[in-house]
């Protein structure tokens, strides 16, 4: 057993996928529930999708469930998506189901990868690529460890037809675009409005409505959608995240095929 052969196997396999991800249909920032669902449905339609996740783990806010109780709640509307991923649901009461958040992450991650999604953990999307026609056309990438160590290391870039912002509460990509391009987002004042305090019912409903293109080539997904449009948070209920991921995928697919 040669250690160098093991090292070459890892390096070559990773580099092949990374090089393959430099020209893609859809780049997704964030591997939380909404980003993974979006990636899965896009890959299922035959599109080339890569997900870039800042942290060592995937799943975003899911492993912590509600206040570290590792369970998530899904309402009737999200049930078919959970079934599509083969995730077990226990009925709690009419229209409400409980899932094990760790099973949910494992199943989503495995189904994405089997469908052809490339998931890169420990890589942060730190900026976007933009062209004169005022269209977002890719992501600027760096190792998360570079940022955490506060090193000055220049990034690399990947081109994509569409970028999905699935970075959660902080809506990082939308905020970067607002900061660098000005208040030109497709919101009332062109800015990120910021998420409101908890109101589960309103937050869940608004999420789907707020999942849309907010700048040419940039689509909101998951918690980002409510953060951008100033709608409430909803706590550990996840049906909206799943439906938002599916809707973001439908919008992105249309844009890729236009
Ligand atoms: C790469 C990044 C970057 C970056 C962040 O927070 P998430 O789980 O996001 P959603 O929207 O899929 O799900 C939200 C849900 O988990 C949640 O928080 C709920 C329901 N909250 C309700 C409430 O009331 O609190 O995942 C986002 C992912 C994370 O893994 C981040 O590490 C990652 O995005 N990320 N990845 N580049 N710039 N910024």
């Amino acid at each position: 057993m040669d250690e160098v052969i093991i090292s070459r196997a890892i390096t070559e396999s990773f580099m092949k996928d990374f090089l393959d991800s430099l020209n893609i249909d859809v780049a997704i920032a964030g591997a939380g529930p909404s980003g993974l669902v979006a990636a899965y449905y896009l890959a299922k339609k035959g599109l080339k999708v890569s997900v870039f996740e800042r942290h060592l783990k995937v799943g975003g806010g899911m492993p912590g469930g509600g206040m570290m109780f590792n369970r998530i709640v899904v309402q009737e509307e999200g049930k078919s998506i959970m079934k599509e991923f083969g995730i077990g649901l226990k009925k709690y009461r009419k229209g409400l189901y409980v899932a094990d958040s760790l099973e949910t992450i494992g199943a989503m991650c495995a189904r994405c990868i089997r469908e052809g999604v490339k998931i890169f953990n420990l890589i942060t999307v730190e900026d976007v690529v933009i062209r004169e026609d005022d269209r977002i056309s890719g992501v600027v990438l760096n190792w998360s460890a570079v940022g955490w160590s506060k090193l000055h290391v220049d990034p690399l870039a990947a081109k994509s037809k569409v970028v999905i912002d699935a970075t959660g509460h902080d809506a990082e990509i939308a905020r970067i675009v607002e900061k660098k391009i000005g208040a030109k987002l497709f919101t009332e004042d062109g800015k990120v409005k910021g998420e409101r305090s908890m109101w589960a019912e309103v937050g869940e409903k608004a999420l789907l409505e707020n999942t849309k293109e907010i700048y040419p080539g940039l689509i909101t997904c998951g918690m980002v959608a409510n953060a951008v449009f100033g709608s409430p948070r909803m706590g550990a209920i996840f049906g909206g995240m799943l439906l938002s991921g599916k809707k973001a995928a439908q919008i992105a697919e249309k844009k890729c095929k236009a």
Side-chain angles (χ1 to χ4, degrees), residues 7-258:
S7 304
R8 287 192 76 98
I10 290 172
T11 310
E12 284 172 19
S13 164
F14 182 87
M15 279 308 159
K16 186 182 170 303
D17 279 356
F18 189 69
L19 285 170
D20 220 35
S21 293
L22 296 183
N23 263 298
I24 49 182
D25 292 311
V26 184
I28 302 181
S34 69
L36 290 175
V37 168
Y40 169 78
Y41 281 108
L42 284 162
K44 225 180 141 193
K45 292 282 181 176
L47 293 165
K48 223 173 143 185
V49 191
S50 296
V51 181
F52 301 98
E53 165 55 50
R54 167 178 289 148
H55 281 290
L56 182 57
K57 61 149 185 72
V58 297
M62 283 195 290
M67 221 180 104
M68 293 198 208
F69 303 157
N70 60 4
R71 301 288 184 275
I72 57 171
V73 171
V74 175
Q75 60 277 56
E76 197 65 41
E77 295 86 333
K79 193 176 157 190
S80 63
I81 298 178
M82 294 293 275
K83 292 267 167 232
E84 169 91 22
F85 283 96
I87 300 161
L89 285 174
K90 285 205 178 91
K91 189 170 179 176
Y92 184 67
R93 58 172 60 184
K94 193 170 181 283
L96 272 193
Y97 302 85
V98 181
D100 184 307
S101 65
L102 301 181
E103 183 195 351
T104 306
I105 296 164
M108 284 186 175
C109 192
R111 291 298 300 271
C112 277
I113 291 170
R114 281 181 208 141
E115 240 6 280
V117 175
K118 304 276 189 285
I119 304 178
F120 297 92
N121 54 338
L122 291 170
I123 293 184
T124 294
V125 177
E126 64 166 55
D127 203 344
V128 293
V129 178
I130 188 142
R131 284 289 168 269
E132 283 123 18
D133 59 359
D134 263 4
R135 193 187 160 74
I136 308 292
S137 39
V139 285
V140 175
L141 305 169
N142 216 328
W143 295 114
S144 303
V146 164
W148 294 330
S149 323
K150 301 195 190 318
L151 296 175
H152 180 166
V153 177
D154 280 354
L156 297 175
K159 290 270 194 77
S160 64
K161 293 178 186 150
V162 175
V163 173
I164 292 182
D165 184 356
T167 59
H169 293 267
D170 293 337
E172 287 198 21
I173 312 307
R175 287 188 194 277
I176 288 167
V177 171
E178 182 201 316
K179 187 171 155 212
K180 298 229 167 154
I181 301 171
K184 292 191 204 163
L185 301 180
F186 306 153
T187 58
E188 260 166 35
D189 59 0
K191 297 182 185 166
V192 174
K193 295 188 89 172
E195 156 197 308
R196 307 260 302 275
S197 288
M198 196 181 291
W199 189 352
E201 198 164 344
V202 173
E204 282 288 275
K205 275 201 192 114
L207 200 65
L208 212 51
E209 171 62 26
N210 294 336
T211 301
K212 52 174 94 162
E213 191 175 39
I214 49 162
Y215 194 81
L218 179 64
I219 297 165
T220 57
C221 186
M223 208 56 227
V224 167
N226 280 9
V228 166
F229 288 97
S231 299
R233 65 191 299 182
M234 66 295 292
I237 184 148
F238 278 73
M241 297 303 143
L242 311 178
L243 295 166
S244 171
K246 192 171 181 182
K247 183 176 175 191
Q250 286 161 350
I251 301 168
E253 186 197 349
K254 256 195 212 146
K255 296 207 68 68
C256 285
K257 292 185 174 165

